[in-house]
Amino acid sequence: MTFKKLALFLLITVSYNTFAQKDGYWDKERATTKEIIVSARDRITIKTEDLPIGTTEIVYRITLLDENQQMTSSLVSMLKAIPDPYGIGQGSAGAVFLMSKIAGDDSCTYALFTSNDDAKKYVDDGKTEKACYAQVDPVNKDAKRLSIDKSSCIKQNSTTIWFGFTSKNWVLNQKVVLEVVPWVDTKLNRGWNQDNKNEIISLCKTSTMAQKMANSDDFCVCILEKIMKQYRYTEFQKLLAIEKTKAYKDFGNACYQDVDISKNVYNDLRTQASTLIKLQKYNEAIQKLNTIISDGKATALDYSSIGYSYILTKQYAKAIKSLKEGEKLDDTELMVKLNLAHVYLVSDDYSEAKAIYKKYQTQNVTDSLSWKEKTKQDFIVFEKAGLPSKDFERVLKLYN
């Protein structure tokens, strides 16, 4: 490939990746640039500068120089032409682009380590079993990109990498130039890794709001996203306990008002209340339904259900009040009308009950259940619960 063709290929690659670049930046402020003299046949290690939080990739360049040689351009300056790390991961062209324009005649082998102890052991015995990467063939220059998803050298919480070098010059000292530039993911730079996120989610799951829901995943993710947007992880950890509690409460209230989350919350409460009513746990069902009502999200059917539960717990005044509220919301909802007739009947107001029973007796309360059949089903439940039943037969005779 001629130089012009190579230049054109690199230009196209860089241009493509500029449009498809990841959300991050090369951190030139915390790049490592070190020039070290390695004695003949010696081994040394070099520790990188502390990697910033959110480092997901690094690019490094190693150059061996003869005495008095100088680097013509730094790695940082070259990376300015490639804003995205994938721009240098497109095969050999990217590696060639990063290579030094000069290098000495000397060569070395090298290895990368993620712990100081492993690096020290390498200096002692030259073994690379504990290395996360090893270049065993001698080189006088090299350049590579390592990413968190393809290399064990970069981990989610990595702060340092150790480079070990073994000189292959048996007589003279070597000059080694090591350059390392980290790529910082903008989101991860805020310190929110997987463990930190799970910590917030777990705390959310124990909250009062979350426990109202059959599935609180969307709600807790909403809170997590708001906390992550407002605070870096270290900032959030420094908050006082009372400040954290307020943050959870404020963000929880905001998420609770989200249309989709709110809809799921109240549907969950309705499902739970329906199950409790079938299990004859009417007091618990009332609590669930009261949550919906107090939040101003009740439908006519919610008022019907709580009215029904009040009847079965012999709280007739509360039943009438709730059912009247249901009528205001939807005067055509026959489940409300039927329960209103029931509460008048068991509270010894037969004349009021009779008028309602007769008025709607030919209609269905649902698409498949008639008013008459539902009345019979309810009377069976009422009798088992010990409600006043002296007028049940009178009502059923009205339907004949």
Side-chain angles (χ1 to χ4, degrees):
M1 183 180 288
T2 65
F3 177 77
K4 288 184 177 179
K5 288 182 178 179
L6 176 59
L8 178 61
F9 178 84
L10 286 171
L11 178 61
I12 293 171
T13 299
V14 171
S15 299
Y16 170 79
N17 283 283
T18 299
F19 287 104
Q21 63 181 280
K22 298 172 69 180
D23 187 12
Y25 57 93
W26 294 111
D27 193 334
K28 63 181 182 180
E29 301 301 325
R30 283 171 282 193
T32 297
T33 302
K34 294 186 178 181
E35 187 174 307
I36 314 98
I37 301 298
V38 186
S39 301
R41 295 175 292 174
D42 200 3
R43 280 189 297 273
I44 65 162
T45 58
I46 302 173
K47 175 185 174 184
T48 65
E49 302 293 342
D50 290 342
L51 300 176
I53 294 172
T55 297
T56 57
E57 355 222 335
I58 64 165
V59 167
Y60 68 84
R61 183 171 70 174
I62 295 165
T63 311
L64 274 70
L65 299 177
D66 291 337
E67 190 175 359
N68 297 323
Q69 278 186 306
Q70 300 294 324
M71 300 295 295
T72 57
S73 61
S74 71
L75 182 58
V76 168
S77 65
M78 298 182 75
L79 289 174
K80 287 180 180 178
I82 306 178
D84 186 276
Y86 290 109
I88 57 170
Q90 309 296 322
S92 60
V96 169
F97 183 70
L98 292 175
M99 285 292 191
S100 302
K101 293 181 181 178
I102 59 170
D105 295 328
D106 284 342
S107 62
C108 72
T109 59
Y110 69 90
L112 277 63
F113 301 90
T114 57
S115 81
N116 189 33
D117 290 340
D118 292 340
K120 286 181 178 179
K121 194 171 186 301
Y122 168 80
V123 171
D124 294 336
D125 58 23
K127 295 180 179 179
T128 59
E129 290 89 345
K130 297 292 183 68
C132 58
Y133 176 79
Q135 174 61 47
V136 294
D137 296 324
V139 294
N140 68 347
K141 57 185 176 181
D142 204 1
K144 281 186 173 55
R145 163 183 166 260
L146 303 177
S147 64
I148 196 169
D149 57 338
K150 293 183 180 179
S151 173
S152 59
C153 295
I154 307 291
K155 299 177 182 177
Q156 197 166 62
N157 295 313
S158 293
T159 57
T160 310
I161 298 174
W162 286 262
F163 283 73
F165 296 93
T166 299
S167 170
K168 292 303 177 181
N169 191 318
W170 285 70
V171 178
L172 301 174
N173 294 342
Q174 292 181 330
K175 183 190 293 185
V176 177
V177 178
L178 171 66
E179 300 167 280
V180 183
V181 184
W183 172 269
V184 181
D185 183 289
T186 303
K187 289 184 178 178
L188 293 179
N189 181 241
R190 296 181 66 79
W192 292 101
N193 59 35
Q194 201 64 39
D195 291 338
N196 299 338
K197 291 178 183 178
N198 285 333
E199 177 186 332
I200 300 298
I201 295 291
S202 297
L203 285 171
C204 171
K205 292 282 187 180
T206 64
S207 68
T208 302
M209 287 184 180
Q211 289 178 351
K212 293 179 182 178
M213 311 170 197
N215 186 339
S216 59
D217 288 352
D218 289 347
F219 175 70
C220 289
V221 168
C222 176
I223 289 179
L224 172 63
E225 289 175 346
K226 289 184 181 297
I227 290 176
M228 288 170 58
K229 185 176 180 179
Q230 181 73 24
Y231 301 99
R232 290 179 178 271
Y233 178 70
T234 52
E235 294 171 343
F236 187 73
Q237 288 300 92
K238 290 177 182 178
L239 294 179
L240 298 174
I242 192 171
E243 292 175 315
K244 286 184 180 180
T245 300
K246 185 178 186 303
Y248 273 110
K249 182 179 179 181
D250 291 345
F251 292 138
N253 286 333
C255 290
Y256 205 65
Q257 299 305 315
D258 180 274
V259 174
D260 291 333
I261 292 175
S262 177
K263 183 178 178 181
N264 291 335
V265 169
Y266 297 116
N267 284 341
D268 287 344
L269 287 170
R270 291 182 182 105
T271 300
Q272 293 169 33
S274 177
T275 301
L276 290 167
I277 289 171
K278 289 176 183 177
L279 295 172
Q280 299 178 16
K281 296 181 178 181
Y282 304 112
N283 283 325
E284 293 179 43
I286 288 169
Q287 292 175 17
K288 302 291 184 184
L289 293 164
N290 263 329
T291 298
I292 301 174
I293 292 169
S294 62
D295 287 351
K297 302 296 182 179
T299 65
L301 282 174
D302 294 327
Y303 281 108
S304 175
S305 295
I306 199 170
Y308 181 81
S309 298
Y310 279 136
I311 292 170
L312 282 154
T313 54
K314 300 181 180 179
Q315 301 180 74
Y316 304 139
K318 288 184 178 180
I320 292 172
K321 180 181 178 181
S322 296
L323 294 165
K324 288 291 186 181
E325 290 296 324
E327 275 190 320
K328 292 177 184 177
L329 286 179
D330 185 356
D331 193 46
T332 66
E333 179 52 64
L334 293 192
M335 290 296 289
V336 173
K337 300 290 188 183
L338 182 58
N339 283 324
L340 194 56
H342 289 337
V343 72
Y344 287 141
L345 186 68
V346 297
S347 60
D348 205 24
D349 193 347
Y350 178 76
S351 61
E352 285 284 352
K354 177 182 176 181
I356 301 173
Y357 284 127
K358 284 188 68 68
K359 183 176 182 179
Y360 301 105
Q361 64 176 317
T362 60
Q363 299 191 43
N364 280 6
V365 292
T366 70
D367 59 352
S368 58
L369 182 62
S370 72
W371 175 280
K372 293 179 181 180
E373 185 58 33
K374 178 59 174 167
T375 303
K376 293 175 184 178
Q377 292 176 4
D378 289 346
F379 282 174
I380 292 171
V381 174
F382 293 164
E383 280 191 292
K384 288 181 179 179
L387 269 62
S389 58
K390 61 185 178 65
D391 292 320
F392 288 177
E393 285 300 322
R394 292 175 67 187
V395 171
L396 295 177
K397 286 180 181 178
L398 293 173
Y399 299 155
N400 297 326

